[in-house]
Amino acid sequence: MTSDMTTDTGQEAADFARRTSTDLLQRVEDRLRSLLAAERDAWAGVDARAAVPIDALSELIASGGKRIRPAFCIAGYLAAGGDPADPGIVAAGAALEMLHLSALVHDDVLDDSSRRRGLPTVHAKYMALHGGRGWQGESRRYGEGVAILVGDLALVYSGELMSEAPRTAVPEWNKLRSEVMIGQYMDVHAAAEFCVEPRLSRLIAKIKSGRYTIHRPLVVGADAAGRNDLAPAFEEYGEAVGEAFQLRDDLLDAFGDSADTGKPTGLDFTQHKMTLLLGWAMQRDEHIHTLITEPGHTPDEVRRRLLDTGVPADVEKHIDGLVERGCKAIADAPVDQVWRSELTRMARRVAYRNA
């Protein structure tokens, strides 16, 4: 009887934690939409054209997305004992998602990607609009110019939202913002240099994606709740799970289906991204470098060659090891067992995308 009661109590606690997280995520969604709706009303009253950048952001919000960064921020906050009624955590989660929108819009320009979440990317949409209406200047420059400004606007809104969050979260937020920009630069530079250096590939994956996706949002949440003592455990967990998240993205880019990912596959090949997958593969097969850098080769040829090296299977094993490391880190964290279990579940979800 005692064992059954303990199990029931544990399940109730887990259900309550998940409901609380879901409720806060919905409030983040509502905050994002209400901010953009208010901004649209204000600017449409000035001139209808002034609302165009806001509409572009609203369309991105409406198109979906996994809301991973606010989810980890909320998890870090609740695991740290934060008050779910405090609107500050909603503002922090919304700030992280708005920053992510900024990064997505700019990243699509950097990668020359035509699709995002199954829809035309911002620069592709406005490039086509310019060409279709016969406006002055170059369509590409117009489309990319609009996208840069839309991304910058999202960055401004993210700062406004974070100003409503607990001040204790701001130092980590500042680290996160600068880190993702530096990581993006390193990614661009590594693609241009295109040298086989797996250590650098792992570093870029951690800085531009892993920390910004999982590690820093968790710490932002914990700091918002006044628990900066959780930073070491969240760093160990976040670094490992964040790298696993990025490696999964690399595998999906190489072998995924664009109907599932909502964006073109093979972009890492065409943009010469030096991912760990490619770095390891080129160490085993120098011909892969030629397949990617010289014209006349198809992505299918690259995929077949990658599979022949056995590296995709090794990357899967590496992901397994990273998830195990992250789960071990959180198992030792000074938080309630319900949150250790929840963060373990979240680690597997982002690493394998199947739960």
Side-chain angles (χ1 to χ4, degrees):
M1 179 69 72
T2 302
S3 177
D4 290 343
M5 288 178 63
T6 301
T7 301
D8 290 346
T9 302
Q11 187 58 53
E12 287 172 7
D15 290 344
F16 179 75
R18 203 163 296 175
R19 283 197 305 271
T20 305
S21 296
T22 300
D23 177 64
L24 283 171
L25 273 174
Q26 184 57 55
R27 287 166 59 192
V28 166
E29 197 78 15
D30 294 343
R31 184 72 183 89
L32 290 166
R33 291 172 187 261
S34 65
L35 169 66
L36 292 174
E39 286 291 299
R40 191 191 194 288
D41 287 346
W43 283 106
V46 175
D47 188 292
R49 286 164 290 200
V52 167
I54 301 162
D55 287 340
L57 290 176
S58 296
E59 287 168 10
L60 266 174
I61 290 289
S63 67
K66 295 179 283 292
R67 310 293 190 255
I68 292 173
R69 291 145 198 90
F72 275 100
C73 178
I74 288 166
Y77 179 77
L78 294 175
D83 178 5
D86 187 343
I89 189 57
V90 174
L96 284 161
E97 188 63 23
M98 193 64 79
L99 176 66
H100 183 51
L101 291 187
S102 173
L104 289 183
V105 175
H106 287 165
D107 205 37
D108 287 338
V109 174
L110 292 171
D111 291 345
D112 195 23
S113 178
S114 61
R115 309 286 291 180
R116 169 71 65 179
R117 297 175 180 171
L119 299 172
T121 52
V122 174
H123 71 276
K125 175 179 177 177
Y126 288 96
M127 185 167 68
L129 179 68
H130 182 281
R133 296 194 177 175
W135 289 342
Q136 297 299 307
E138 298 176 27
S139 294
R140 183 184 181 91
R141 285 181 64 84
Y142 176 77
E144 292 182 349
V146 170
I148 289 168
L149 294 169
V150 167
D152 287 350
L153 183 61
L155 191 61
V156 170
Y157 289 151
S158 73
E160 289 183 12
L161 286 161
M162 188 54 75
S163 71
E164 302 170 14
R167 303 311 298 165
T168 50
V170 172
E172 194 71 15
W173 162 254
N174 288 335
K175 286 181 191 175
L176 183 156
R177 286 191 302 167
S178 59
E179 203 166 53
V180 71
M181 303 303 175
I182 296 296
Q184 286 282 47
Y185 161 73
M186 291 177 68
D187 192 37
V188 168
H189 178 80
E193 199 172 28
F194 205 59
C195 66
V196 180
E197 195 174 341
R199 183 201 64 82
L200 179 61
S201 298
R202 287 191 68 188
L203 178 63
I204 292 170
K206 288 179 183 178
I207 293 176
K208 73 160 267 194
S209 181
R211 290 178 185 169
Y212 144 77
T213 302
I214 296 171
H215 167 201
R216 300 287 183 208
L218 273 171
V219 178
V220 166
D223 285 356
R227 288 285 305 276
N228 60 11
D229 62 296
L230 291 176
F234 282 172
E235 178 179 359
E236 178 70 14
Y237 168 92
E239 292 270 308
V241 179
E243 185 181 356
F245 169 83
Q246 182 55 50
L247 291 175
R248 178 60 57 198
D249 264 7
D250 295 343
L251 287 170
L252 287 171
D253 180 86
F255 302 104
D257 186 336
S258 59
D260 296 327
T261 63
K263 56 185 178 180
T265 56
L267 280 176
D268 288 345
F269 304 156
T270 59
Q271 297 302 313
H272 306 146
K273 293 296 181 73
M274 184 47 71
T275 63
L276 184 65
L277 171 70
L278 287 177
W280 278 353
M282 284 191 288
Q283 284 183 325
R284 299 182 188 181
D285 183 351
E286 294 180 0
H287 186 60
I288 291 174
H289 188 286
T290 302
L291 285 175
I292 291 173
T293 57
E294 294 184 5
H297 303 288
T298 67
D300 283 342
E301 289 180 88
V302 180
R303 292 185 186 100
R304 284 195 296 271
R305 202 88 183 195
L306 284 172
L307 289 170
D308 288 343
T309 67
V311 164
D314 288 344
V315 171
E316 287 285 3
K317 291 177 186 175
H318 189 51
I319 289 172
D320 292 342
L322 289 166
V323 172
E324 183 179 347
R325 190 181 114 202
C327 291
K328 183 179 184 303
I330 211 64
D332 298 331
V335 298
D336 191 275
Q337 177 59 43
V338 69
W339 286 105
R340 294 177 196 163
S341 298
E342 184 65 10
L343 287 166
T344 296
R345 184 190 69 83
M346 292 173 75
R348 291 180 176 134
R349 182 178 181 184
V350 299
Y352 302 113
R353 315 288 166 93
N354 60 356

